[in-house]
Each structure stands twice: as structure tokens, then as C-alpha cells.
């Protein structure tokens, strides 16, 4: 696979992945994410992930769970190429992201929306600036940026708060800013790493609902959490990481339009 | 790389790191001021050297027993040379009188015999005469029997030339030192700026920013610091120059016959452009070094 597959600077990479964009025939019915026998070693003697197999269909909502230290974050980090797999393949829309060159990684990430437990928003920036940065990176014209950010803020329930400094917002609101930043580019896949970990239970449900609303518009969501009360409230597909492998705990059928596909294990 | 976005971000960076950049620009300005000062001194010295070298004088000392015929012949020959403006015959007695009149000497020197003051032909050269030409004239005149010695005052020019060359070397060495200083200061500033913006940089990279997107503003900020520091240095030097110009012109310059001048405009441009370029180079280097996110 050449670097050109992921688009050069200025071009819109993976444009066909965007929600609402017309999918190319053949691409549309490919799973958005396939992990094949993925190994990740941080210590030689003890792999964090040992032979993970997982297939995620377009439009799915998947809970990723497992005890602390199981490797949930590691799994997501492999997908956005913070780390590289030591063995196996990760196919994002059919392309092996492990083989991307350093220079292509930004173009991969432009197709992902990432949300973290610690929000990773810039406190001394305004809400608008925190969201707009994702579009400025794409060299989007200012007027378009304004319109798209306003739209994203509306979706997360922060209309009209664009001028507020994010430092002055509550935790729940800050996480909404982070979600707005993740969805403003209309990515095909959202990776959420314990996005409710720092929120009280009531706000956690709110944020989960927000992700479900985003999922309802066609965006695939990978939601890592160890909060079983949250998982229990919904019947989404649930994969657990145990002993470095993925165990399919439950197959949610409500949001899974792709029919029965063979999934990991 | 979207230049407009980079400029916007750089302006924001400069605003947010005001304190940090103020310190950096001040140190850089001092460095550039030293460099510009040496350049100014060298430039004036070399103007002086050029001026002195041009208003050349040659003293042709005559033997005590030289026949008046020979002297007249020699005088005529000198007058006929293209580079010679004026020839004046100074007799031994005139030389002695001149010396005693101008020099504040004691009685002991007043007792010197006339032989101590040889007669001479004082030759004033045209401004176009080059050093080589002066040497050629001196060589030719020396072969005359009536001539005992020829003084071209070249030693003085040579000394001044040495001073000018030393100034040039000092300027080059200083330029290198200033470059190192700028690299160090900018490098350190960028390191601090990167540390302070670690979270912003992380967020940008996670959103798919290329290295160029992250580096661009930092390099622009470094360029701007170098540029501003050079401009400040030039302005400070100019203020100092204007303050000292008149006293210098009234004393030293009046004696030498040369008026001091400020750096030529191309030199000013060179210092400012150089400041911006070294600022850009310094920040590009350190951004590469400190920015492996
Ligand atoms: N960069 C790293 N360097 C070394 N070890 C790491 C690194 N990242 C993760 N690990 C190790 O890999 C294992 C899995 O970590 P990971 O963060 O993926 O767990 P997790 O399931 O997300 O846990 P938590 O629920 O606490 O967030 C841990 O043992 C951790 O120490
Ligand atoms: Mg984790």
C-alpha cells in the first residue's frame, strides 16, 4: 500500500468514510475495522495483547471492557497508531494501518475521532477554538469552520457557548467539548477511552447517550469502559479483554444492521 | 503547509509566551548590538583607511651634496608623473625652522646641526594614486644619486590596514559567536515553548496534524524573534550613534579629516535579514530536536 492511498496534504483522505458521504461499492460492505491475531508486547515476557481478533462492522456501537490493565487503552492506541502492533494486522477499511509510514499517520487520524478520560482539551482556549482546531488542521476555510463548529456544538448541547473559556466549564461540559472536537470532522470511527471515567454517574449516562446519538447518524463507536453499571444499562455489543485476548460477551443486535458476521475468537 | 493558519497560530503563540519571548528578544538584541557595533567601527575605520591611503604623501630626502641641477631635474621628473599633484622643495634650513616652530622642543634639540634636517622634495600625490603606484614611484626615485631616502608613510597605512583587517576578523568571529548565541537562546526558548504547549501539540497530533502544522508556527515565532532583535539592535545603535556623532566629529574626526558615518543601508538590511534567517534556522533546528511527539 502506498502513502497516496491515505491522501497527501490538502486532499481529503478517506473521504468515502465520512458519515453521509456516498460509499464506494465494495468499501461499504467491508468491515470498518478488523484486528487479526494482534500482539502487543510492552514487556518481552508478558504480552499485553496476545492474539486479539475482532471485527467491527460499519455503524456498530461496541463496548470494550475488561479489568484495569487488561489492555483496553492499548487496543485503541494501536488503532490510532500511538503504538504499532508487534504481530498481526489491523485493517481500517481494508487497509493495514500497521504498515503506514510515520508521515501517513496524520491522515489516518483525520478519519478518527478520539475522546479520552481526561478530555485533553486546552483550558486556556475557548470552546470554539478547542473544536475548530480539528478543522484548521484540514485547512478548512474559516467560514466553513465556523458553521461546522456551531453545528457540532449544537449536537453536544453546547450551542452558543463557543466563546466561553473551557477552563470555566464543568467536567461534563468539558467532555462535551471533547466530543464535539471528535465529531466535527465527521469521522467514520470514534474511539472513546473511558470517556465517562471522570464524570459522575448521572453525567456518564448523558455522555453515553451523546455517543449513541452520534452512532445513530452512522458513525461507528468503540467505547472502552470498565463501568459495568453503564454497560448494564444498554444492550450494545460487548467485547471483553481478558488475559490479552478478546472475549465476545454479548452481541447487541439493535444497532448492528450488518447481520451476523463472524467475529473474533 | 497553510501559511496563513501558521501565521495566525504563531501570533497567538507570541502573545501567549510574551514574557518568555521578551527575555529571548532582549538577549538576542544585545548580541546583535555587539555585532552591529563592531560592523559600524570597522566600516568607519575602512573609510578612514581608504581616505588616508588616497591622500598620499611622499618625502624624498636629498643628499647634502646633491647638485641643484640634479634636484631640479628630479623635481621636473616628479612633476611629469601622472599621479603627482604637487612637488615642493624644502631646504635643510626650512626644514629646521619648520621643526623648531611646530615642535615644542627643548634647547637641546635646538642645538641640532642643520645636517640633522636634510633637504627634501615633498610630493603630494593625486587621490587616484594606489599603494602600488606609490611604491613604484618611490622605487624609481631611490635610484637617483641625489636621493638618500624616500619616505612613503606606508607604515601608517599598513597599520591602519591591519586595524581594519583586525576589525573585519573581529566582526566575522563575533558574527559566528552571535550566531551560536542566537541558536542557543532560540533553542532554549523553543524548548520551553514546546514544553508549555505539550498538551496543545499532543491534541493537534491526535487530531491528525502533520509535523509541518505543528512546527510551522514555532519556526515563524523564532524567525520573528530574530528579526525583532536585529531591528532593536539597529535602532539602539542608531540612537547611540546620533548621540556620539557630533562629539566624535568635533574631535577625532576633525583631526583625521573623516566624518563618521552610520552603517550603510545594505549593511542594515543584511543585519536584519541575517537576524531573521538565523532565527528561522535556530528554531527549525531546535523544533526538530525537541518535538518528537
Ligand atoms: N506505553 C507503555 N509502556 C509500557 N507498558 C505499557 C504502556 N502502555 C500500557 N502498558 C501496560 O500495558 C498494560 C495494559 O495497559 P492499558 O492502559 O491498555 O490498560 P487498560 O485496560 O486501559 O486499563 P485501565 O482500565 O486502567 O485504563 C498495563 O499492564 C500497562 O502497564
Ligand atoms: Mg485505559
Amino acid at each position: 500500500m502506498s502513502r497516496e492511498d491515505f491522501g497527501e496534504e490538502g486532499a481529503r483522505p478517506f473521504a468515502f468514510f465520512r458519515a453521509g458521504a456516498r460509499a464506494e461499492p465494495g468499501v461499504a460492505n467491508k468491515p470498518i475495522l478488523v484486528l487479526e491475531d494482534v500482539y502487543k508486547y510492552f514487556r518481552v515476557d508478558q504480552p499485553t495483547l496476545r492474539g486479539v481478533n475482532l471485527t467491527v462492522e460499519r455503524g456498530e456501537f461496541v463496548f470494550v471492557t475488561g479489568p484495569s490493565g487488561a489492555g483496553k487503552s492499548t487496543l485503541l492506541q494501536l488503532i490510532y497508531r500511538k503504538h504499532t502492533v508487534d504481530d498481526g494486522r489491523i485493517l481500517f477499511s481494508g487497509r493495514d494501518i500497521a504498515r503506514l509510514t510515520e508521515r501517513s499517520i496524520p491522515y489516518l487520524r483525520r478519519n478518527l475521532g478520539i475522546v479520552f478520560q481526561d478530555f485533553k482539551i486546552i483550558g486556556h482556549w475557548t470552546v470554539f477554538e478547542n473544536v475548530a482546531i480539528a478543522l484548521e488542521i484540514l485547512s478548512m476555510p474559516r467560514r466553513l469552520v465556523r458553521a461546522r463548529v456551531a453545528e457540532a456544538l449544537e449536537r453536544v448541547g453546547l450551542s452558543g457557548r463557543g466563546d466561553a473559556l473551557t477552563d470555566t466549564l464543568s467536567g461534563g461540559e468539558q467532555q462535551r467539548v471533547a466530543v464535539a472536537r471528535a465529531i466535527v470532522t465527521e469521522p467514520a470511527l470514534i474511539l472513546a477511552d473511558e470517556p465517562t471515567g471522570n464524570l459522575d454517574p448521572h453525567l456518564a449516562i448523558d455522555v453515553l447517550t451523546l455517543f449513541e446519538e452520534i452512532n445513530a447518524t452512522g458513525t461507528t463507536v468503540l467505547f472502552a469502559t470498565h463501568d459495568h453499571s453503564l454497560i448494564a444499562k444498554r444492550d450494545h455489543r460487548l467485547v471483553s479483554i481478558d488475559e490479552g485476548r478478546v472475549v465476545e460477551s454479548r452481541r447487541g443486535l439493535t444497532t448492528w444492521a450488518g447481520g451476523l458476521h463472524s467475529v473474533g475468537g | 503547509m497553510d501559511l496563513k493558519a501558521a501565521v495566525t497560530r504563531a501570533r497567538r503563540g507570541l502573545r501567549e509566551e510574551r514574557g518568555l519571548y521578551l527575555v529571548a528578544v532582549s538577549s538576542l538584541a544585545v548580541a546583535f548590538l555587539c555585532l552591529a557595533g563592531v560592523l559600524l567601527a570597522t566600516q568607519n575605520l575602512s573609510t578612514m583607511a581608504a581616505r588616508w591611503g588616497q591622500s598620499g604623501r611622499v618625502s624624498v630626502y636629498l643628499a647634502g651634496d646633491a647638485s641643484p641641477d640634479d634636484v631640479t631635474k628630479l623635481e621636473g621628473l616628479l612633476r611629469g608623473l601622472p599621479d603627482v599633484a604637487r612637488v615642493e622643495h624644502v631646504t635643510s634650513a626650512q626644514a629646521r625652522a619648520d621643526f623648531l616652530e611646530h615642535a615644542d622642543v627643548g634647547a637641546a634639540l635646538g642645538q641640532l646641526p642643520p645636517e640633522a634636517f636634510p633637504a627634501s622634495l615633498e610630493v603630494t600625490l593625486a587621490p587616484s594614486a594606489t599603494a602600488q603606484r606609490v611604491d613604484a614611484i618611490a622605487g624609481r626615485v631611490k635610484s637617483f644619486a641625489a636621493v638618500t631616502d624616500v619616505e612613503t608613510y606606508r607604515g601608517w597605512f599598513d597599520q591602519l590596514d591591519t586595524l581594519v583587517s583586525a576589525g573585519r576578523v573581529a566582526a566575522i568571529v563575533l558574527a559566528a559567536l552571535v550566531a551560536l548565541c542566537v541558536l542557543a537562546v532560540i533553542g532554549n526558548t523553543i524548548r520551553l515553548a514546546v514544553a508549555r504547549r505539550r498538551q496543545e501539540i499532543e491534541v493537534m497530533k491526535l487530531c491528525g496534524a502533520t509535523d509541518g502544522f505543528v512546527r510551522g508556527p514555532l519556526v515563524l515565532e523564532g524567525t520573528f524573534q530574530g528579526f525583532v532583535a536585529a531591528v532593536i539592535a539597529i535602532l539602539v545603535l542608531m540612537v547611540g550613534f546620533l548621540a556620539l556623532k557630533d562629539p566624535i566629529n568635533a574631535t577625532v574626526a576633525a583631526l583625521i579629516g573623516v566624518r563618521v558615518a552610520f552603517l550603510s543601508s545594505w549593511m542594515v538590511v543584511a543585519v536584519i535579514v541575517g537576524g531573521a534567517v538565523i532565527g528561522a534556522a535556530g528554531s527549525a533546528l531546535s523544533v526538530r530536536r525537541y518535538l518528537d511527539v
Side-chain angles (χ1 to χ4, degrees):
Chain A
M1 179 175 44
S2 70
R3 191 189 305 134
E4 280 66 39
D5 288 346
F6 288 87
E8 280 301 330
E9 214 158 349
R12 314 269 349 238
F14 290 153
F16 51 88
F17 271 147
R18 311 184 139 267
R22 212 163 172 71
E24 279 172 23
V27 168
N29 41 34
K30 260 191 216 158
I32 191 161
L33 191 67
V34 179
L35 281 78
E36 290 177 355
D37 218 19
V38 167
Y39 279 78
K40 183 66 197 173
Y41 295 83
F42 287 113
R43 283 197 308 262
V44 192
D45 49 322
Q46 211 180 357
T48 297
L49 299 178
R50 51 186 97 180
V52 166
N53 286 288
L54 177 67
T55 301
V56 178
E57 297 296 333
R58 214 162 279 278
E60 266 192 300
F61 191 111
V62 182
F63 278 131
V64 179
T65 191
S68 184
K72 303 181 290 294
S73 301
T74 304
L75 182 74
L76 299 189
Q77 285 162 2
L78 289 173
I79 298 169
Y80 65 82
R81 265 295 294 269
K82 182 180 176 185
H83 302 304
T84 315
V85 296
D86 292 317
D87 200 8
R89 297 203 300 168
I90 297 183
L91 304 177
F92 179 55
S93 194
R95 297 154 211 260
D96 188 355
I97 60 170
R99 286 167 53 198
L100 287 181
T101 60
E102 245 359 91
R103 278 194 48 166
S104 313
I105 292 171
Y107 304 101
L108 163 72
R109 291 185 180 166
R110 290 176 191 190
N111 290 280
L112 303 171
I114 318 174
V115 182
F116 300 89
Q117 177 172 359
D118 60 354
F119 315 151
K120 290 202 196 299
I121 52 175
I122 312 301
H124 64 276
W125 286 5
T126 63
V127 168
F128 175 87
E129 287 164 343
N130 268 285
V131 179
I133 184 69
L135 298 176
E136 282 163 8
I137 284 165
L138 304 176
S139 305
M140 196 176 276
R142 199 94 192 112
R143 265 179 52 196
L144 210 54
V145 170
R146 244 177 262 132
R148 293 272 295 265
V149 172
E151 197 185 310
L153 288 178
E154 196 181 330
R155 283 178 75 187
V156 301
L158 287 174
S159 301
R161 303 291 300 276
D163 291 333
L165 274 184
T166 37
D167 262 345
T168 64
L169 302 185
S170 73
E173 288 168 333
Q174 293 194 8
Q175 191 59 300
R176 284 171 183 276
V177 174
V179 174
R181 184 183 63 204
I183 62 171
V184 76
T185 55
E186 294 174 18
L189 176 62
I190 298 238
L191 305 173
D193 191 358
E194 314 235 15
T196 59
N198 282 3
L199 304 176
D200 65 45
H202 181 70
L203 283 173
I205 292 287
D206 278 0
V207 168
L208 174 61
T209 309
L210 182 56
F211 278 105
E212 287 167 343
E213 285 165 11
I214 292 159
N215 174 242
T217 66
T219 309
T220 312
V221 177
L222 236 61
F223 192 109
T225 180
H226 56 227
D227 182 351
H228 285 278
S229 66
L230 210 58
I231 294 167
K233 288 196 174 70
R234 300 292 200 268
D235 65 345
H236 300 303
R237 180 179 170 198
L238 176 66
V239 297
S240 310
I241 302 180
D242 192 25
E243 308 258 292
R245 290 193 184 81
V246 158
V247 179
E248 197 78 24
S249 305
R250 181 172 76 195
R251 288 183 182 189
L253 298 173
T254 50
T255 55
W256 186 14
L260 284 174
H261 285 255
S262 61
V263 280
Chain B
M1 170 89 230
D2 189 343
L3 191 66
K4 212 173 122 197
V7 169
T8 312
R9 305 202 73 73
R11 277 174 51 189
R12 175 175 199 138
L14 287 166
R15 203 167 58 234
E16 282 173 357
E17 317 281 9
R18 260 191 319 265
L20 183 63
Y21 288 154
L22 207 66
V23 174
V25 166
S26 323
S27 0
L28 295 182
V30 171
F32 283 128
L33 183 59
C34 293
L35 177 62
V38 169
L39 287 175
L40 180 62
T42 310
Q43 184 180 292
N44 278 295
L45 273 178
S46 73
T47 316
M48 205 154 76
R51 208 62 69 78
W52 272 22
Q54 276 170 6
S55 60
R57 265 181 60 201
V58 177
S59 297
V60 179
Y61 293 104
L62 303 170
D65 54 359
S67 73
D69 262 7
D70 283 351
V71 173
T72 316
K73 241 167 83 188
L74 183 55
E75 217 178 317
L77 180 119
L78 281 169
R79 282 212 175 86
L81 291 175
D83 288 318
V84 171
R86 213 156 63 85
V87 180
E88 191 190 352
H89 187 188
V90 180
T91 62
S92 177
Q94 275 170 334
R96 185 164 186 266
D98 260 11
F99 178 78
L100 292 179
E101 185 186 328
H102 284 108
D104 181 20
V105 291
L109 281 175
Q111 302 306 312
L112 284 169
E115 299 85 68
F117 301 94
S120 65
L121 292 176
E122 295 300 325
V123 181
T124 308
L125 297 167
S128 59
T130 60
Q132 288 90 328
R133 189 77 189 111
V134 173
D135 283 347
I137 293 171
R140 200 158 149 209
V141 169
K142 240 178 219 163
S143 59
F144 281 76
V147 176
T148 55
D149 196 12
V150 181
E151 172 65 85
T152 56
Y153 305 94
R154 272 295 293 283
W156 289 97
F157 304 147
D158 286 348
Q159 270 178 24
L160 202 59
D161 274 348
T162 314
L163 207 58
V164 171
S165 317
R168 292 217 175 98
V169 171
I172 290 167
V173 170
L174 206 65
L177 281 177
V178 165
L180 281 179
C181 161
V182 173
L183 290 182
V185 170
I186 296 228
N188 207 41
T189 310
I190 295 280
R191 192 168 57 80
L192 281 171
V194 166
R196 289 201 205 189
R197 286 184 223 173
R198 185 142 308 280
Q199 209 197 359
E200 292 174 39
I201 292 169
E202 184 193 1
V203 163
M204 289 193 254
K205 300 281 269 187
L206 286 172
C207 288
T210 55
D211 286 348
F213 186 90
V214 178
R215 285 173 184 163
L218 287 164
V219 172
L220 283 177
E221 285 164 37
T223 311
F224 186 70
Q225 287 173 61
F227 171 80
V228 169
V231 168
I232 290 175
I234 291 287
L235 288 178
V236 169
L237 188 68
M238 192 181 278
V239 168
F241 173 81
L242 290 177
L244 292 177
K245 187 182 78 159
D246 287 342
I248 290 179
N249 276 340
T251 54
V252 186
L255 281 177
I256 301 167
V258 179
R259 294 179 72 78
V260 286
F262 195 63
L263 290 174
S264 63
S265 39
W266 81 259
M267 196 63 109
V268 168
V269 171
V271 169
I272 292 173
V273 170
V277 167
I278 189 84
S283 46
L285 277 175
S286 39
V287 154
R288 250 166 222 291
R289 192 153 147 221
Y290 298 117
L291 205 79
D292 25 286
V293 206

